[in-house]
Amino acid sequence: MDAKIVIVGCGISGISAAHQLIKSGFQNVRILESTSRSGGRIKTGRLGDKVVEIGANWIHGPSEGNPVFRLARQYGLLDPEALTPENQAIDCGGTPVWVPNFFSSSGRRLTLEEYMPAQEMFDKVLNESSEFASKGGEPTASVGDFLRSEIQKQAAEEWKDVDAKTRSLRLGMINNMLKQQCCINGTHSMDEVGLGAYGLYKTLPGLDCTFPRGYEVLIKNLMSELPSGIVSYNRPVRCVHWNNTERGEKPVMVECDDGEKFSADHVIVTVPLGYLKKHLSALFCPPLPLHKQHSIQRLGFGTNNKIYVEFDSPWWDDGCEVIVLVWDDEDEIVDQVPDLQRSWLKKLFGFTVLKPTERYGHVLCGWIAGHESEYMETLSEQEVTHCVTQLVRRFTGNPALTPRRVLRSQWFHNPWTCGSYSFPGKLCSAQDLENMMEPLPSKGSQAQPLQVLFAGEATHHCYYSTVHGAVLTGWREADRLISHYSSSSPSVPKSN
Ligand code: 6YU
């Protein structure tokens, strides 16, 4: 088919769209990518000789219904355990149960028994937070507001006989769970996550798994099946001009930063929501309809960063999968630090332990979200190493602990991403996600249909913030064009 299609962005959603279009016989597909590489937020790096993920980490819910799982299986990229029916059947509601080690800021190891009362209370209230979406209520409240008021109420009742020290320790634990949620949701604070839309996110069965040779191998496999030369790298798109009505001209013209212009029948825009928010006024001419602009503003996009730390030997238990750091001097329920410069690292909730040890040695991945993690990005690697060293020494009580290597991600200052991933902001509803994926011109217009289409993780109605969500949106927009041409085949446009 000759329709000319330009895809903006060569992340997994753009690649998936191109795949589907080319498989269906479209021959005139081009991807414009701002950077020198494919993969976007799928990015594998190295810590010494160890393969580590700078961006996406896991296949969330690796089972038959997950397209990333099916692709990874097809290309032979997974460890045998990930492929077992038992692994695929595990349903933990998106929260894998990891073997924890707990440390407090006074250098004391905490026990699971000490931790459980706070964990149980938090899990119960968090589950209740998810119920508002199906009831269509509470658009103005935030998950943070709800969690805080419910926990304060329940703690006053259930912990009334608990001594002050234990109570303050439990509040520190609750705060740790909030900081953990900030990482999961990619937000600065749970006060920014809309209560009414929180439950829109859906999980798939399957115990989260990783790519032993790195997530980017999936990108390499997919790219090897696309025609060579389909991607123009280092080609940032400055503006998508649409609704061109001049006779004999294509309806869309994509203008790059270097001034080069590409005319097209259709453009699929896959830039991250963070980029879209920042460049909204310049990226489209004419501007997007107001309802779409408002939805882009209402949806949230925040930062979740990683700090990898390698040690010569483990200071955690054999079998430990997550190290939880609890500040024992926090009497308020808060998930933000008061003084960024002095205490940004208090936002780091802990570390996941890279497994198996034979592959990774003694490498931890620290998780930190929000403005604190954006501030971390501005520090030198030596400063980050110094702060992390002080932190682990304090929590273990071992003044000799010294990391061998440190590597951190910097997603906020990446000009093509401007953060990590999307979440439903306050005032957000399912309609905003519908608006995000709506192609232009809007329904009812007399102009040529499907000029500008939208894909990317932030346009999936229930798998936003994930790789599988991004894949499905690429396929969705390709299918939209495929069915358009299969139902209107006599008027297939000819290339210029
Ligand atoms: C997942 C995971 N994961 C950690 C971290 C990050 C993300 N995700 P892309 O950005 O890839 O592509 C767009 C391209 O456009 C890009 O190449 C740009 O350079 C280009 N571009 C931009 N501007 C341009 C211009 N002007 N012109 C031309 N080109 C331009 N997902 O499944 N498992 O473990 C994680 C994680 C640190 C940063 C993740 C994870 C998110 C995915 O990485 C992401 O969704 C996709 O890669 C996006 O692909 P794309 O094509 O859309 O964009 C309860 C509940 C709560 C709900 N949340 C649940 C949490 C689930 C998320 N978990 C994430 C966790 C981690 C650790």
Side-chain angles (χ1 to χ4, degrees):
M1 267 177 279
D2 283 343
K4 224 172 155 182
I5 303 169
V6 169
I7 299 172
V8 183
C10 195
I12 190 97
S13 60
I15 297 170
S16 305
H19 240 252
Q20 191 86 327
L21 289 167
I22 285 172
K23 215 170 62 189
S24 304
F26 285 85
Q27 288 157 6
N28 219 329
V29 178
R30 179 190 284 267
I31 307 179
L32 301 176
E33 165 57 42
S34 54
T35 68
S36 57
R37 58 177 284 277
S38 306
R41 281 169 275 172
I42 293 179
K43 188 172 184 201
T44 302
R46 295 214 162 246
L47 181 70
D49 58 353
K50 315 283 178 346
V51 170
V52 292
E53 303 295 357
I54 309 298
N57 219 75
W58 294 282
I59 303 182
H60 289 309
S63 53
E64 213 49 52
N66 186 325
V68 178
F69 174 71
R70 294 199 305 272
L71 287 167
R73 182 178 58 188
Q74 179 193 319
Y75 294 130
L77 305 181
L78 300 178
D79 275 335
E81 308 86 80
L83 298 170
T84 60
E86 295 75 34
N87 202 85
Q88 292 180 55
I90 294 171
D91 199 349
C92 50
T95 320
V97 183
W98 288 321
V99 177
N101 276 183
F102 304 103
F103 292 83
S104 82
S105 53
S106 51
R108 187 169 75 83
R109 286 283 291 265
L110 307 173
T111 63
L112 187 61
E113 292 69 41
E114 278 178 284
Y115 201 75
M116 278 326 280
Q119 179 84 65
E120 280 165 6
M121 185 179 288
F122 188 85
D123 288 351
K124 185 165 153 277
V125 181
L126 190 68
N127 274 340
E128 288 166 16
S129 310
S130 310
E131 288 163 13
F132 289 88
S134 56
K135 294 179 194 147
E138 298 298 346
T140 55
S142 73
V143 176
D145 294 332
F146 180 74
L147 289 173
R148 204 172 10 254
S149 76
E150 285 302 305
I151 288 169
Q152 270 161 355
K153 225 187 303 169
Q154 295 189 20
E157 273 169 35
E158 293 174 30
W159 299 346
K160 60 178 182 301
D161 300 326
V162 169
D163 63 88
K165 210 165 149 222
T166 307
R167 208 185 146 77
S168 139
L169 184 63
R170 286 186 187 174
L171 289 180
M173 292 168 183
I174 296 280
N175 288 345
N176 177 280
M177 293 166 214
L178 277 172
K179 292 171 196 167
Q180 208 172 125
Q181 283 303 316
C182 291
C183 291
I184 293 171
N185 288 274
T187 183
H188 170 55
S189 160
M190 292 307 283
D191 293 352
E192 295 181 5
V193 181
L195 186 58
Y198 181 63
L200 293 175
Y201 182 78
K202 297 284 174 273
T203 58
L204 289 161
L207 187 64
D208 289 4
C209 66
T210 55
F211 286 79
R213 289 182 286 132
Y215 229 123
E216 244 185 86
V217 186
L218 173 66
I219 298 293
K220 292 210 169 74
N221 275 273
L222 288 167
M223 290 305 294
S224 72
E225 293 175 0
L226 289 178
S228 64
I230 189 176
V231 189
S232 301
Y233 292 103
N234 301 308
R235 276 297 159 81
V237 167
R238 178 198 297 167
C239 185
V240 174
H241 301 266
W242 58 291
N243 246 351
N244 182 8
T245 49
E246 274 190 39
R247 277 179 138 257
E249 295 283 325
K250 300 266 183 211
V252 186
M253 195 265 288
V254 181
E255 184 189 354
C256 292
D257 261 1
D258 60 8
E260 192 164 354
K261 296 179 173 131
F262 297 85
S263 63
D265 295 293
H266 311 280
V267 57
I268 305 180
V269 177
T270 77
V271 301
L273 177 64
Y275 182 91
L276 199 54
K277 279 174 178 282
K278 195 166 172 187
H279 299 276
L280 191 54
S281 58
L283 196 57
F284 298 95
C285 181
L288 299 183
L290 275 181
H291 68 280
K292 207 165 172 96
Q293 291 193 34
H294 289 153
S295 293
I296 289 169
Q297 282 153 0
R298 275 196 290 267
L299 280 162
F301 195 82
T303 309
N304 179 20
N305 270 314
K306 304 176 181 185
I307 309 178
Y308 284 103
V309 196
E310 186 179 19
F311 291 90
D312 289 330
S313 54
W315 44 268
W316 50 94
D317 293 345
D318 210 21
C320 164
E321 293 170 312
V322 62
I323 293 168
V324 177
L325 304 181
V326 178
W327 290 86
D328 50 16
D329 58 350
E330 293 180 341
D331 283 333
E332 301 264 308
I333 301 181
V334 278
D335 57 11
Q336 304 153 58
V337 306
D339 178 348
L340 264 192
Q341 278 153 10
R342 280 191 53 233
S343 45
W344 62 272
L345 201 48
K346 273 186 117 176
K347 186 68 170 272
L348 183 133
F349 85 79
F351 301 94
T352 46
V353 184
L354 268 60
K355 299 274 180 181
T357 310
E358 310 81 69
R359 186 177 294 150
Y360 295 105
H362 311 299
V363 177
L364 302 179
C365 177
W367 296 89
I368 179 163
H371 302 326
E372 295 83 350
S373 89
E374 292 161 6
Y375 176 74
M376 175 276 288
E377 292 186 20
T378 66
L379 302 176
S380 69
E381 212 151 84
Q382 286 87 329
E383 284 171 295
V384 174
T385 305
H386 171 77
C387 293
V388 171
T389 306
Q390 298 307 315
L391 184 85
V392 294
R393 286 180 179 174
R394 174 171 182 164
F395 276 78
T396 55
N398 177 354
L401 269 185
T402 305
R404 188 195 283 179
R405 283 190 193 89
V406 171
L407 175 74
R408 44 70 198 267
S409 61
Q410 291 169 294
W411 286 105
F412 181 70
H413 287 89
N414 178 328
W416 312 111
T417 311
C418 312
S420 300
Y421 41 87
S422 64
F423 63 89
K426 269 170 93 165
L427 295 175
C428 206
S429 71
Q431 185 60 50
D432 290 307
L433 290 154
E434 290 296 325
N435 292 348
M436 284 297 291
M437 68 181 91
E438 184 197 349
L440 299 173
S442 301
K443 270 199 193 107
S445 161
Q446 299 301 308
Q448 177 155 330
L450 305 185
Q451 293 180 32
V452 191
L453 302 97
F454 295 84
E457 56 87 8
T459 72
H460 197 275
H461 61 100
C462 66
Y463 299 142
Y464 48 82
S465 73
T466 66
V467 175
H468 54 281
V471 169
L472 291 171
T473 65
W475 290 349
R476 179 191 69 213
E477 295 312 312
D479 287 344
R480 211 191 281 277
L481 289 174
I482 294 163
S483 56
H484 173 67
Y485 282 106
S486 55
S487 60
S488 64
S489 40
S491 60
V492 171
K494 293 276 167 251
S495 56
N496 282 351

